[in-house]
Amino acid sequence: MKQSRTCCAPVSGQSLCGAATIAPAPRPPVHDEIALPGGEFRMGDAFAEGYADDGETPVHAVRLSPFRIDVTAVTVAMFETFTQETGYRTEAERSGHSAVFHLAVAAEPADVLTADPVVPWWLEVRGADWRHPHGPLSEAEPDHPVVHVSWDDATAYCTWAGRRLPTEAEWEYAARGGLPGRRFPWGDELTPDGRWLCNIWQGAFPRVNTGADGWLATAPVRVYPPNGFGLHEMAGNVWEWCADRFSADYYADSPHTDPTGPPQGERRVIRGGSYLCHHSYCHRYRVAARSSNTPASSSGNSGFRTVG
């Protein structure tokens, strides 16, 4: 098992907003979703490829009740409807800035505020938010996953939409697509027949991205083939928030049936990796990989999908 490496998602401070001020929509939006039967599966890293502090072991049996999950991450267009109907403003909008990967910044020099001291390729950019994912000189594409959303922002959306974030166990079960014990949603080989099946980093992180998969930052949803359950981009593209609090020790004694995470803990689970993940630095685009962030954190590679 590898030594822990700092995750490629920066950490923000105290929450500025929350779901408590959001009322459920009179007419909840329709989500394109798949009904999954649940059942038992083996959860965790069967290859000992995870980072020690992430707690991807031991592999353990989990039984889930049936649930319905979004086919894709929540898109910019979907999130825009939410903000139009509620007037909601995200953490990034309230603070006036958010974290943007240095090669993607679209802003005047005066709007680039600081570099993260731990992960200096992340820059705090004034005016970066879900509408302007790379800074004020950029515009979000409607069919891309919404980014610069914190856990608090994601749960606010869920309150309005009459949905919730998936549990970590639901997320991994869904990501596996019916393939037990595999590395990726499609199998064990990253690029079968030379094809890129997810949006991650190619080249020398963090300075050179060859763009072999076609994207520097987010890709539109449904660009890559779905997994066996019909779900798109369960690896790479954007980190996806889960409902659970995070603990590296949780797998050792988690409940067998419908686990919901530890009862205490500051950080929340994120899953799936993002367009910045690379085997040399952040090998967290495997289906068993897990990481975490504080619920107020937002960045250009953080998004979510929901369950019904």
Side-chain angles (χ1 to χ4, degrees), residues 86-213:
T86 63
Y88 185 84
R89 298 179 68 226
T90 60
E91 305 265 8
E93 289 172 293
R94 292 192 179 200
S95 68
H97 56 86
S98 190
V100 179
F101 184 67
H102 72 112
L103 295 183
V105 170
E108 298 293 347
D111 288 325
V112 180
L113 305 178
T114 59
D116 189 298
V118 178
V119 280
W121 42 88
W122 282 108
L123 304 176
E124 283 296 321
V125 177
R126 184 186 290 114
D129 55 39
W130 70 271
R131 289 186 176 89
H132 310 96
H134 309 308
L137 301 182
S138 65
E139 294 290 336
E141 298 289 340
D143 61 347
H144 283 235
V146 69
V147 293
H148 295 288
V149 286
S150 68
W151 187 91
D152 294 325
D153 298 329
T155 54
Y157 176 94
C158 288
T159 298
W160 169 78
R163 301 181 69 80
R164 62 177 175 85
L165 293 176
T167 67
E168 182 177 17
E170 288 172 336
W171 194 97
E172 183 169 326
Y173 172 84
R176 289 188 176 278
L179 295 179
R182 300 299 182 92
R183 285 186 176 89
F184 308 114
W186 55 85
D188 288 335
E189 187 179 351
L190 179 60
T191 54
D193 299 322
R195 294 182 302 143
W196 285 100
L197 299 178
C198 64
N199 179 17
I200 57 174
W201 187 275
Q202 301 92 43
F205 187 86
R207 296 293 175 186
V208 179
N209 188 338
T210 65
D213 65 357

